[in-house]
Amino acid sequence: MKVVTVAQMRAVEEEAGRLGVSERALMEEAGLAAAQEAWMAVGASEERGIIVLVGPGNNGGDGLVAARHLVGWGASVAVYLLTPRAADDEVWRPIVEAEVPTSTVEDDPGLERLARWLGESSCIVDALLGTGTSRPIEGDLAAMLARVAEARAATAPPRLIALDLPTGVDPDTGRADPSTVRADQTVAFGFRKVGLLQSPGRALAGDVVTVDIGIPREASADLPYEEIDFRTIQALIPPRPDDGHKGTFGRAVIAAGSRKYPGAARLAAEAAARSGAGLVQLAAPAVVQPLVAPALPDVIHEPLPSAAGAMRGSEAARALLRALPEADALLLGPGLSLTPPVEEFVRSVLAGLAAAAPHLRGLVIDADALNVVAATAGWADLLAALEVPRVLTPHPGEMARLLGATTAEVQADRLGVALMQARRSGSVVVLKGACTVVAAPDGRVRISSTANSMLATGGTGDVLAGLITGLIAQGLEAFDAASAAVYIHAEAARHVSESVGAAGGLAQDLLGQLGPVRRLLDGGSTLGASSPFGAMGGGLGAGG
């Protein structure tokens, strides 16, 4: 499912016009779809009132078309305008001719009529701004939204349906004006806007319904952004022939762990194995191997030289590089700890990777390895010079360190930041968090619609990194592997939440759900999270 920025949507609409579909035709389809949703919201009842709040632009036009259809179906409709419409406005004239009750802000000092109509309505249609949010909300519009908020705070509040976006939500970033009122439902016209997949816009939108408004397929064929959904990911998963063997499904090497964070190595390695990789090789400090080996009988263990409970600098790097010639994918970073010898280890691995593993399909840089990279002068150029495809997996704090910015600045424009860093470093970037963003250097972006607090616990990032690595080992390109891993990770978290609750779930619980999710993607059925076999796990704690 494609998602768009405002600029992309305008370009699509212009292309639709060149293909013979006018702006008015799109508005008619959008208004009809909005009317259908409002009609269903009131139970198709003529007795229950609907108030349509109308702004000055095309979003207001969509609302007026919706009002016209609702009146034709016998609904009790009132239309309240932020600003008057011209007498010859072709979408306004039918409302006047049908003698629909109408009012404007300038006709209603103190907005008392608006308050009364809101109180008498079962449904509010927000057609005030849509994608037109471009500056702070103030004046009459702020006063209108305050009245809407009062109505929504009532004991039996009216249902609120937003057209395209709740008024005040930025369509490109999801940022919201303080005046924004949360909708029960948002009807997205043609495509979801990026802001509906970013916080806080996602939460303020309520349930999002995307409706076809007649845009020709050719007009949107080249849109570079899409939502991560089941159909998209199922198409990416490689076939798994019955006569395959260990080599068929690739070898993943996991360089991870320290005495402080032994569980990070365990979580990443098991996630890679459960992703479907044929062989997983865990390269952990020798001091850590006895701690994790009993919990991981299915992987190959490659003890690396250690000192003070962590990797021993360049000596450990040389040992790892010697283990890589047969590897298909390498994960570098989970639970390494951040010490001078570990920094030397990471830099030495990156420096020697091209010579040691020229056929590597992908490198995943995560956690402490990312922090080492961020502290390296000219890190983006360093990564861009590596010939192996790369995936960076920062959470917002790690991305802020890479940028030399604040976490708030990263969160203010997650898509833009991820895309900038992907292009700058020539790497796929997975910006973790609510509604994870996966950005490719060529400008493609996939966005998860999932926000699950179960994932806000230590170790879940290690599971995601292991999944990405295992999928690369099986032959997926870096961008596709990252996208598929984000989907599987989120679905596993949903199953855990349904089984034990978001607060009670642990990173290790995800491991038991990876198989059922992968089975569903492969076309099989799954027992589901309620199965007594659904959340098997256990083991050591993890580094987040």
Side-chain angles (χ1 to χ4, degrees):
M1 185 182 294
K2 299 290 187 179
V3 295
V4 295
T5 63
V6 170
Q8 289 167 347
M9 190 65 194
R10 287 174 182 155
V12 166
E13 290 172 343
E14 289 174 4
E15 183 61 21
R18 285 191 286 270
L19 294 170
V21 181
S22 68
E23 183 179 87
R24 177 61 194 276
L26 296 177
M27 182 178 290
E28 284 293 324
E29 291 294 326
L32 174 60
Q36 290 169 335
E37 295 299 328
W39 188 235
M40 289 187 288
V42 297
S45 169
E46 298 175 13
E47 305 298 324
R48 304 175 69 186
I50 300 172
I51 180 170
V52 182
L53 307 180
V54 176
N58 285 345
N59 194 250
D62 299 333
L64 290 171
V65 172
R68 188 190 78 218
H69 284 292
L70 289 165
V71 169
W73 299 337
S76 176
V77 178
V79 173
Y80 196 97
L81 294 91
L82 176 62
T83 56
R85 287 263 174 170
D88 61 351
D89 186 328
E90 57 186 3
V91 291
W92 170 243
R93 192 167 55 248
I95 302 298
V96 176
E97 293 171 351
E99 298 182 344
V100 175
T102 65
S103 184
T104 65
V105 171
E106 67 180 32
D107 295 334
D108 183 25
L111 307 186
E112 297 301 327
R113 185 181 300 129
L114 173 61
R116 185 175 71 255
W117 285 1
L118 288 169
E120 296 169 352
S121 297
S122 296
C123 179
I124 305 167
V125 176
D126 173 5
L128 288 166
L129 291 183
T131 61
T133 300
S134 59
R135 58 183 182 271
I137 292 174
E138 54 191 11
D140 291 339
L141 180 55
M144 284 183 66
L145 292 176
R147 289 295 193 181
V148 173
E150 290 173 5
R152 294 277 288 162
T155 303
R159 185 169 177 82
L160 177 57
I161 298 176
L163 304 192
D164 239 359
L165 289 138
T167 294
V169 171
D170 187 289
D172 291 345
T173 67
R175 285 176 289 183
D177 189 274
S179 297
T180 302
V181 182
R182 184 189 182 280
D184 293 298
Q185 182 182 36
T186 296
V187 184
F189 298 137
F191 309 98
R192 293 192 189 196
K193 311 314 176 279
V194 170
L196 293 175
L197 294 174
Q198 301 293 289
S199 294
R202 177 186 179 278
L204 291 167
D207 296 327
V208 179
V209 177
T210 305
V211 296
D212 182 5
I213 59 172
I215 295 172
R217 186 178 297 273
E218 310 94 281
S220 60
D222 296 329
L223 288 173
Y225 303 163
E226 60 186 352
E227 183 180 343
I228 296 174
D229 57 23
F230 176 83
R231 184 175 297 179
T232 300
I233 301 308
Q234 188 177 46
L236 299 178
I237 296 298
R240 198 167 180 86
D242 290 339
D243 60 352
H245 52 81
K246 290 180 289 187
T248 306
F249 306 117
R251 178 189 290 254
V253 175
I254 312 298
S258 62
R259 182 181 290 150
K260 187 175 182 180
Y261 302 119
R266 182 254 166 160
L267 290 167
E270 185 169 342
R274 290 188 180 275
S275 76
L279 289 168
V280 175
Q281 188 169 354
L282 176 57
V287 70
V288 171
Q289 291 284 356
L291 301 177
V292 298
L296 291 170
D298 308 285
V299 310
I300 301 167
H301 292 273
E302 185 73 33
L304 301 183
S306 61
M311 300 291 190
R312 190 189 295 168
S314 58
E315 184 180 351
R318 288 192 296 270
L320 173 62
L321 294 170
R322 287 195 296 269
L324 289 182
E326 296 181 358
D328 296 294
L330 169 65
L331 168 58
L332 184 64
L336 288 179
S337 292
L338 204 55
T339 65
V342 168
E343 293 176 14
E344 182 184 359
F345 166 76
V346 171
R347 294 190 178 107
S348 297
V349 170
L350 294 178
L353 200 57
H359 304 299
L360 203 64
R361 291 175 181 164
L363 165 67
V364 180
I365 304 177
D366 180 62
D368 285 327
L370 271 177
N371 290 325
V372 173
V373 168
T376 302
W379 66 265
D381 294 334
L382 169 69
L383 294 182
L386 293 174
E387 296 182 4
V388 62
R390 298 162 305 285
V391 179
L392 313 182
T393 59
H395 57 56
E398 290 164 343
M399 179 63 87
R401 286 191 283 276
L402 287 167
L403 275 174
T406 66
T407 300
E409 288 170 332
V410 171
Q411 294 292 75
D413 185 12
R414 287 170 54 81
L415 185 147
V417 166
L419 194 53
M420 178 191 69
Q421 291 294 62
R423 287 171 167 157
R424 180 184 175 195
S425 66
S427 310
V428 171
V429 170
V430 179
L431 180 53
K432 297 183 289 192
C435 302
T436 293
V437 177
V438 182
D442 62 7
R444 290 176 295 161
V445 173
R446 292 190 180 123
I447 309 174
S448 171
S449 61
T450 299
N452 188 334
S453 63
M454 183 268 133
L455 293 174
T457 187
T460 58
D462 304 322
V463 174
L464 177 62
L467 277 173
I468 298 170
T469 310
L471 291 168
I472 292 174
Q474 293 170 70
L476 270 71
E477 295 183 356
F479 181 60
D480 290 341
S483 303
V486 166
Y487 177 85
I488 294 169
H489 191 245
E491 279 296 288
R494 182 177 64 82
H495 289 180
V496 171
S497 294
E498 290 174 354
S499 178
V500 301
L506 300 175
Q508 59 192 302
D509 297 329
L510 294 172
L511 299 171
Q513 296 296 345
L514 299 181
V517 175
R518 175 62 197 265
R519 183 181 181 186
L520 195 60
L521 288 168
D522 286 335
S525 61
T526 178
L527 292 170
S530 61
S531 164
F533 305 103
M536 298 171 67
L540 298 158

